[in-house]
Amino acid sequence: MSALASSTYQPQLMSTTLRERVVLGAITGLLAGLASSFLGQFPVGIWVYLLISIVLGIKFAWGMDTLATTPGTALVWAQAYGLAAWVVLWLTLYPLAAERRLAWDIEAARANFGLLLAQSLAFGIVLGLSYVFARWLWRSWQIRQAETDSTISKTSSQSEASSQEVTTSPVITPPTITPQGIVAPRVQALIVGGLGGLVGSWLFARGIQTVAFYPLVAELVGSEAASVGRLLHYLIGLIIGLSFGFLFYKDLRNVGASLVWGINYGLVWWLLGPLTLFPWFLGNPVEWSLEVAQGATQGLIAHLLYGSVLGFFYGFINRIWRLLFIDSDPLQRSSESAGARGAKFLLYGQLAGIVGGVLFTLVTIQAGMLRGTAQLLGMQSAGAGLVIHLIVAMIIGSSYGVLFERRETRLGSSIAWGLSYGFFWWLLGSLTLFPAFLRLPVDWSNEAVSAGYVSLVGHLLYGLALGVLFQVLSSRRRPAAPTLRGRDIVNQRLVTNESPASAALWVVVILLGVMLPLLLAGGVVIGGGYY
Amino acid sequence: MTPRVQRLLVTASIGVLAASIVAGLISLQQPAATNAVSLASLGGLAGILVVGALVGVVFGVVFSDVVKDTAHMAQSLAKGAVIGVVGWLIADFIARPVFTQTAEVVSREIAFAPLLAYGFVGVLVGLGTHVSRRWLAVEPEQQLIPEISSRVVVIGGGYAGVTAAQVLERELAHDPTVGIFLISQTNYLVHTPMLSEVSSSAVNPQDISPPLRNFFKRVQVVQGTVKNVSMDGQQVTLAADARSPERTLAFDQLILAPGGVPNFFGNDSVAKHAFTFKSLSDAMCLRNQLIDCFERADLEPDEAKRRELLTFVVAGGGFAGVELIGGLNDFARGMVSYYPNIAADEVSLILVHARDQILPELSASLGEYAQDKLEQRGVTFKLNARVTGAEANAVLIGDERIPSRTFVWTAGNKPSPILETLGLPLNKRGQLELDTELRVVGVPGVWAAGDCAQIPDLTTGGMCPPTAQHALREGKLAGYNVAASLKGKPIKTFKYKSVGSLASLGHQLAVAEVMGVRFSGFFAWFMWRAIYLIKLPTFQKQLRVGLDWWLDVFFPPDIVQTIDFSNTSDDVQVTTSPQPIAESTAVARSGAKV
């Protein structure tokens, strides 16, 4: 090997071989199976379940290795994978094989609720994170080995080459332009994530201030003092925020997407917190069942909102950061200014919001909800309710335009983000702000969530129309060819491309967002905590 | 059948297949099984198949990346699940109440099974589409770079030309085979109503001149001067400047909108010594000339020479001249406080106008109002007077000689001289003769708009005036008609009635006549600013000018001189021996010059 060749040698470690995937998948599948088997109630024996887990792990590694590029993407893909496994295995194939029936009806699904938590959340979380960690360990070890081999090879070839004159003509290569921020992205992610976690904790505590919240939290460390509870609460918020930044900073493309990622992360912490760690720390039995989940419905809504606040704050600070330090860089600036783009998206969002509001009205009329809306301004008539409803729809639409700003995207992506945003506004608007504005107690109980089901459907239809129309409007005057020029193409790639995990995120947030209120409705409600 | 329709048919078929599989799964159940999910709850077999087909079509439309081979299989499945949820929402909560004519919302208990069923259908559609694109050879549409088969060239980067190019880009958005080119001498569009704001230092020059390349995504902007247009060869020859090699650009359709140039009516001395006021650089030059004169006057001990430096003459009492003199008057008089050796009464601004009333385009009362207000603010008028000649340091009005180093000519415009070389029909004023569809009379494929064209005014029976308002509409129609003729659609005739006119007179004063209603004073000034700010292209420029105007309330205008005239002014003669510079402001103010 010549001196030149040996010095430019780079081991090809970025792609994982099929054999590596199978081994890593089997190990992490087993790990995830073990973690989820402790608390899940399975219709099959533990050994069969572990075997299934290994197979699922291998399949995950085989099929999704290239998608699971970061801890965040691995986590959310594994969650979606777990959810799919729950539906396909435990609601479809197994009951069909065992009883010649599908468990697609709500009672059967409720009976398998523990499995949903075990598969979609516990199995998924452990599988995703452990797989990406195991792969990182494996690659690190390989790189170390390759560097050692390369050093030995280089030393020997240098001694060979020292007796020869190697003349290479200078080749001028264009510099690779990689503008840097003022701090490393990971550090920025941790700072912003930590701040977001603290802000989310503050709002979380304010949202549920009606109960003796801090003493309840203090019980985690055997204390009853509110100050201890407060400290612990913010500490937990900080940890969640830091971990959010660490896990997802490569996947968050805009404020809106960050908000939806936050919702999913809230869901993860609902399982980890009130359903697992909280009872475990208190020395109570940990049980993943429908009854316990029903009792923790308030905690679910609180966590989802907490996650959305965290995600929103994270995305917002990042956006400002990007605006100040990155987008303003002449090397990265688009020919269309951020201000002009923002104004345009604001307008499109407003128009789309009005149309979405009209579609929402189809449901509100069926459910007779317009009079309730009119009460926001102390009026009674359905006509006034309709006007208020459309104004609110327009305002939310404009916020969609600004938060989910994108220049080039697919209609399907816009629909999915719209549905997710509709779900968020059901949480924030229907379940929280609406009763608050009417000076009613904010009720996140199982019954209230159940009663808000029609509103949820309306919000989803609203989000659907919002996504469709926004995309149609924003791509309205796009010429057939060529669409983008020089730097715009670079900028688009940097800013607007979807994360490879967006599709998984939509599935988890939208499907679980629709399913959980249906599944948690009815049944016996027992007490439960927020964490 | 287009590839797009074929693709949707395939995805619809996949949807039907997916729905059949789900229906098959349901039918595999024991009939007596408790809580069994039934086809009836999904609207029967026909219902689920229809939903399946729709899910397939929607999936094919909204997730074309799956069909075009850019998505991972897991992504295809997940995206299918999302569309399944959309299918559930529409089928259960919009279609079901409509078809069954029930006003009740589907209950929670009933909704769950369809959610899973349609979700399954969606996932299977995603899977089927993903697989079919590879194995069933559903060819994705090729994104080929289209060949340009016809070219439209627009000459002129003013309002008419830019608007025409914008309309062409929009109207031909779906026809990439047409190349659109805009030739302009500058790489920006000047918002001409605000030129006087630049010369009076109220706004920054670049804030009223958005770059042409910002307007377009598809139109190719070519900066250069047109040297020749061959009508027979259908080719434009242009060059970046006098020393650059000439280039050619072929056209099938040509829109001429080169605008106008100052008309000195053959008076060479005026042409030599007068400043013009047509372009951004003219406005910038004037602003700097004003500052330069003040700087020199501050140093000048000779009173006569100081007066010569501080006398500013504008010829022409139309919109351009009046707005300019109003702006210059504010700027010049506002600057006096910075120069301790210049007395306010030494500054003189004179407007020379050939008629007995300024602003002849407006009602007489508004013209009188404008004259009164400007006189109150220190402007001197010489009406019924014509500039007969100019020198380096004087303006001649008949026998009268006004010493001045700054003489601005706004008293006449004529169409661009390039028109004279084209062999096209021109009127006495050198304008192109057009029909009401904006075609050059007797020359197919050649259109025109703006100041260079004589266009019949169908609202008055006369000819359209050469205003920005008309140029903009003419450009719009020219662009539309060219696109229409390329698409084989009927073209339209030009018919536009002017909404009104506005003229700024300086600080918070203006006159306006809108739809026959006359306004003057502060309200008219507010209207002037609001309307022209809205008309200013691009939000960014609007924001910057708005900000400039706000800052103007709190801070004085900038007097930084950005152009140095010391090397260009060949007429300054130093004849006296050096004298000391004045030291006392009080002495200077009292008139006792050093």
Side-chain angles (χ1 to χ4, degrees):
Chain A
M1 188 187 288
S2 72
L4 190 65
S6 65
S7 64
T8 55
Y9 168 72
Q10 287 292 327
Q12 299 295 314
L13 294 175
M14 291 313 290
S15 59
T16 316
T17 63
L18 195 58
R19 186 187 296 174
E20 287 167 347
R21 289 185 198 182
V22 170
V23 173
L24 290 174
I27 295 168
T28 52
L30 178 64
L31 200 64
L34 283 169
S36 58
S37 66
F38 287 122
L39 300 164
Q41 302 150 358
F42 304 101
V44 294
I46 180 70
W47 296 110
V48 177
Y49 178 73
L50 290 178
L51 187 64
I52 291 171
S53 299
I54 290 170
V55 173
L56 287 176
I58 292 170
K59 180 70 189 76
F60 176 80
W62 193 330
M64 297 192 194
D65 178 78
T66 52
L67 285 175
T69 51
T70 65
T73 51
L75 173 69
V76 76
W77 270 115
Q79 280 181 264
Y81 187 66
L83 178 61
W86 178 67
V87 175
V88 175
L89 282 182
W90 308 118
L91 298 191
T92 308
L93 296 181
Y94 180 78
L96 205 57
E99 304 169 27
R100 274 195 65 193
R101 61 178 287 268
L102 295 170
W104 288 1
D105 58 289
I106 195 154
E107 289 308 325
R110 281 177 180 153
N112 285 293
F113 190 82
L115 266 173
L116 170 66
L117 296 181
Q119 287 274 241
S120 174
L121 294 173
F123 180 84
I125 292 166
V126 176
L127 177 65
L129 292 180
S130 64
Y131 180 76
V132 87
F133 182 66
R135 188 178 59 186
W136 174 76
L137 277 180
W138 175 243
R139 280 181 182 170
S140 302
W141 183 80
Q142 276 186 308
I143 288 170
R144 198 169 298 132
Q145 285 296 109
E147 281 173 350
T148 310
D149 296 346
S150 174
T151 309
I152 296 165
S153 167
K154 194 174 174 181
T155 311
S156 61
S157 57
Q158 272 175 343
S159 60
E160 280 174 27
S162 59
S163 59
Q164 302 171 15
E165 282 191 17
V166 180
T167 54
T168 52
S169 58
V171 178
I172 300 170
T173 52
T176 306
I177 299 171
T178 49
Q180 300 291 320
I182 57 172
V183 296
R186 190 173 293 175
V187 177
Q188 178 195 334
L190 291 175
I191 294 170
V192 179
L195 283 171
L198 292 175
V199 172
S201 298
W202 177 70
L203 286 172
F204 186 100
R206 281 187 64 83
I208 51 176
Q209 60 189 350
T210 50
V211 294
F213 175 62
Y214 290 127
L216 193 68
V217 180
E219 284 182 32
L220 287 171
V221 289
S223 169
E224 291 181 355
S227 56
V228 174
R230 182 178 285 117
L231 184 67
L232 199 57
H233 171 69
Y234 282 103
L235 188 64
I236 293 169
L238 184 66
I239 291 168
I240 295 175
L242 288 171
S243 60
F244 180 80
F246 173 76
L247 287 173
F248 304 119
Y249 75 98
K250 286 184 179 173
D251 302 298
L252 308 177
R253 298 293 197 270
N254 55 47
V255 185
S258 181
L259 184 148
V260 181
W261 279 90
I263 292 175
N264 180 49
Y265 203 50
L267 188 66
V268 169
W269 276 94
W270 176 64
L271 180 78
L272 287 177
L275 296 188
T276 310
L277 296 177
F278 194 79
W280 185 58
F281 267 104
L282 293 177
N284 296 332
V286 179
E287 188 185 347
W288 292 345
S289 66
L290 179 66
E291 290 75 20
V292 171
Q294 283 174 327
T297 305
Q298 283 176 309
L300 171 65
I301 304 301
H303 275 83
L304 294 178
L305 280 172
Y306 170 82
S308 62
V309 168
L310 168 62
F312 172 80
F313 188 79
Y314 183 91
F316 181 73
I317 298 285
N318 252 352
R319 184 73 195 90
I320 299 292
W321 191 292
R322 182 166 190 90
L323 187 72
L324 292 178
F325 304 117
I326 298 172
D327 284 352
S328 58
D329 181 348
L331 297 183
Q332 307 216 39
R333 194 163 254 193
S334 162
S335 61
E336 188 181 25
S337 66
R341 209 167 49 239
K344 193 172 72 181
F345 288 153
L346 196 76
L347 177 68
Y348 294 160
Q350 281 177 356
L351 294 173
I354 292 171
V355 175
V358 171
L359 196 62
F360 193 166
T361 312
L362 295 178
V363 175
T364 53
I365 288 173
Q366 287 178 54
M369 290 160 60
L370 284 178
R371 289 182 193 281
T373 310
Q375 288 172 10
L376 283 173
L377 292 183
M379 290 182 268
Q380 300 293 327
S381 76
L386 180 64
V387 172
I388 296 168
H389 171 77
L390 290 178
I391 290 171
V392 172
M394 188 181 75
I395 293 168
I396 293 175
S398 60
S399 71
Y400 174 85
V402 174
L403 297 182
F404 289 84
E405 56 160 346
R406 291 178 310 283
R407 271 156 281 168
E408 299 286 326
T409 186
R410 295 183 192 289
L411 185 55
S413 305
S414 195
I415 287 174
W417 289 122
L419 288 171
S420 308
Y421 198 53
F423 175 66
F424 163 72
W425 274 100
W426 176 67
L427 295 171
L428 183 67
S430 181
L431 294 183
T432 311
L433 296 181
F434 187 74
F437 283 141
L438 291 179
R439 300 185 184 283
L440 297 170
V442 175
D443 187 1
W444 292 339
S445 68
N446 183 34
E447 292 85 352
V449 170
S450 171
Y453 159 75
V454 177
S455 176
L456 170 62
V457 170
H459 278 87
L460 291 175
L461 284 171
Y462 169 78
L464 171 66
L466 186 64
V468 170
L469 202 73
F470 181 80
Q471 177 61 17
V472 169
L473 285 173
S474 57
S475 60
R476 187 174 43 125
R477 286 192 175 177
R478 197 173 300 148
T483 54
L484 293 168
R485 293 172 297 174
R487 192 178 295 155
D488 279 345
I489 296 170
V490 178
N491 205 288
Q492 182 210 14
R493 193 169 60 241
L494 286 171
V495 182
T496 61
N497 272 3
E498 295 291 1
S499 158
S502 291
L505 181 72
W506 301 329
V507 167
V508 173
V509 170
I510 297 169
L511 267 182
L512 283 182
V514 172
M515 279 182 183
L516 285 177
L518 291 174
L519 293 171
L520 293 174
V524 181
V525 180
I526 60 172
Y530 288 99
Y531 270 114
Chain B
M1 193 181 289
T2 64
R4 186 181 173 84
V5 174
Q6 281 179 345
R7 195 177 71 204
L8 294 183
L9 277 177
V10 171
T11 52
S13 308
I14 292 169
V16 172
L17 185 64
S20 307
I21 293 171
V22 172
L25 278 176
I26 293 170
S27 61
L28 279 177
Q29 297 179 111
Q30 277 184 355
T34 52
N35 296 326
V37 178
S38 65
L39 278 177
S41 65
L42 302 171
L45 181 62
I48 193 168
L49 291 182
V50 168
V51 172
L54 289 176
V55 166
V57 170
V58 171
F59 185 85
V61 171
V62 306
F63 283 123
S64 54
D65 59 324
V66 175
V67 183
K68 289 179 182 170
D69 201 15
T70 55
H72 188 280
M73 183 186 272
Q75 289 174 322
S76 303
L77 267 61
K79 288 172 178 178
V82 171
I83 299 304
V85 175
V86 172
W88 170 71
L89 282 170
I90 292 173
D92 264 20
F93 299 97
I94 294 180
R96 191 191 290 264
V98 170
F99 286 114
T100 59
Q101 299 199 336
T102 54
E104 290 177 10
V105 179
V106 177
S107 77
R108 286 183 297 272
E109 312 299 319
I110 296 172
F112 193 79
L115 171 65
L116 286 190
Y118 296 140
F120 249 106
V121 170
V123 169
L124 290 173
V125 166
L127 177 67
T129 310
H130 190 91
V131 170
S132 69
R133 73 185 184 186
R134 293 190 179 170
W135 294 348
L136 300 181
V138 178
E139 287 296 326
E141 285 177 40
Q142 295 294 312
Q143 287 283 347
L144 295 174
I145 298 171
E147 279 190 20
I148 302 290
S149 60
S150 57
R151 291 160 182 258
V152 182
V153 172
V154 181
I155 295 178
Y159 269 114
V162 170
T163 314
Q166 280 181 311
V167 172
L168 281 166
E169 181 169 281
R170 191 179 66 227
E171 292 293 325
L172 299 171
H174 299 292
D175 185 0
T177 62
V178 181
I180 310 167
F181 302 84
L182 174 69
I183 302 172
S184 171
Q185 281 187 310
T186 61
N187 75 342
Y188 55 82
L189 168 72
V190 184
H191 189 49
T192 45
M194 287 188 184
L195 268 185
S196 62
E197 298 274 308
V198 171
S199 52
S200 61
S201 206
V203 298
N204 289 317
Q206 64 270 36
D207 293 349
I208 67 157
S209 44
L212 290 177
R213 292 174 198 280
N214 266 18
F215 288 98
F216 309 108
K217 286 193 180 295
R218 174 173 162 194
V219 171
Q220 291 187 41
V221 177
V222 182
Q223 189 185 353
T225 304
V226 174
K227 299 289 183 186
N228 182 38
V229 182
S230 165
M231 292 298 163
D232 298 330
Q234 293 197 309
Q235 179 172 285
V236 178
T237 306
L238 65 144
D241 55 53
R243 283 170 296 181
S244 300
E246 293 186 344
R247 311 280 184 202
T248 58
L249 190 58
F251 66 83
D252 297 290
Q253 301 282 330
L254 178 69
I255 299 178
L256 290 162
V261 294
N263 186 359
F264 300 105
F265 302 104
N267 192 324
D268 294 338
S269 65
V270 171
K272 183 182 178 189
H273 295 294
F275 285 88
T276 52
F277 189 58
K278 287 289 287 181
S279 66
L280 193 64
S281 54
D282 289 346
M284 289 162 69
C285 264
L286 262 177
R287 174 185 170 277
N288 280 279
Q289 165 72 6
L290 221 73
I291 299 167
D292 191 62
C293 284
F294 268 76
E295 296 294 348
R296 287 169 188 273
D298 192 50
L299 196 67
E300 179 59 60
D302 180 20
E303 189 173 346
K305 288 200 171 177
R306 211 166 47 243
R307 282 201 177 273
E308 185 182 295
L309 283 163
L310 296 175
T311 299
F312 308 96
V313 180
V314 175
F319 283 108
V322 169
E323 291 195 338
L324 177 65
I325 199 85
L328 290 184
N329 186 53
D330 285 357
F331 186 39
R333 296 192 186 284
M335 269 200 298
V336 172
S337 60
Y338 292 109
Y339 297 90
N341 298 318
I342 297 175
D345 59 3
E346 288 180 306
V347 178
S348 179
L349 289 106
I350 302 166
L351 182 80
V352 184
H353 186 50
R355 299 190 194 181
D356 59 354
Q357 185 200 308
I358 61 168
L359 295 173
E361 299 90 344
L362 299 177
S363 301
S365 62
L366 289 179
E368 286 164 15
Y369 174 89
Q371 187 178 338
D372 284 350
K373 288 294 175 186
L374 285 171
E375 279 175 342
Q376 285 169 19
R377 295 177 69 79
V379 176
T380 306
F381 284 87
K382 289 193 175 294
L383 302 180
N384 295 314
R386 286 179 188 275
V387 173
T388 51
E391 297 169 2
N393 54 0
V395 180
L396 308 175
I397 304 171
D399 296 335
E400 188 180 1
R401 185 177 186 279
I402 302 174
S404 170
R405 293 279 181 88
T406 311
F407 169 44
V408 192
W409 180 259
T410 69
N413 291 309
K414 63 179 181 182
S416 170
I418 187 73
L419 299 182
E420 294 165 8
T421 67
L422 304 182
L424 297 173
L426 304 177
N427 67 6
K428 287 178 188 171
R429 296 187 60 204
Q431 290 174 305
L432 288 163
E433 289 181 5
L434 306 188
D435 60 19
T436 52
E437 282 86 23
L438 307 188
R439 283 177 297 214
V440 176
V441 174
V443 188
V446 182
W447 313 69
D451 296 0
C452 72
Q454 172 193 278
I455 301 165
D457 189 341
L458 296 178
T459 59
T460 62
M463 292 296 160
C464 292
T467 62
Q469 213 177 121
H470 277 80
L472 204 136
R473 271 78 183 186
E474 290 159 13
K476 198 172 174 180
L477 187 75
Y480 177 84
N481 279 353
V482 169
S485 66
L486 287 172
K487 291 192 280 191
K489 288 185 175 177
I491 58 175
K492 296 178 181 175
T493 54
F494 184 75
K495 190 175 182 183
Y496 174 69
K497 189 179 179 186
S498 176
V499 177
S501 303
L502 304 99
S504 165
L505 305 175
H507 179 66
Q508 298 181 354
L509 277 176
V511 286
E513 192 161 353
V514 180
M515 301 175 82
V517 182
R518 282 167 280 176
F519 302 94
S520 59
F522 181 84
F523 182 70
W525 170 82
F526 185 80
M527 263 186 7
W528 186 95
R529 283 207 158 177
I531 289 170
Y532 285 126
L533 189 65
I534 291 168
K535 293 280 181 190
L536 176 63
T538 77
F539 175 67
Q540 180 205 2
K541 300 295 183 188
Q542 290 173 340
L543 199 65
R544 286 181 188 273
V545 167
L547 201 63
D548 278 345
W549 281 344
W550 265 111
L551 290 176
D552 202 31
V553 175
F554 303 103
F555 302 103
D558 201 328
I559 58 164
V560 172
Q561 187 177 351
T562 52
I563 300 174
D564 184 5
F565 292 102
S566 58
N567 294 328
T568 55
S569 79
D570 53 359
D571 52 291
V572 178
Q573 297 168 3
V574 181
T575 55
T576 54
S577 57
Q579 294 184 31
I581 297 170
E583 293 173 353
S584 165
T585 305
V587 173
R589 293 269 178 247
S590 67
K593 303 297 179 187
V594 179

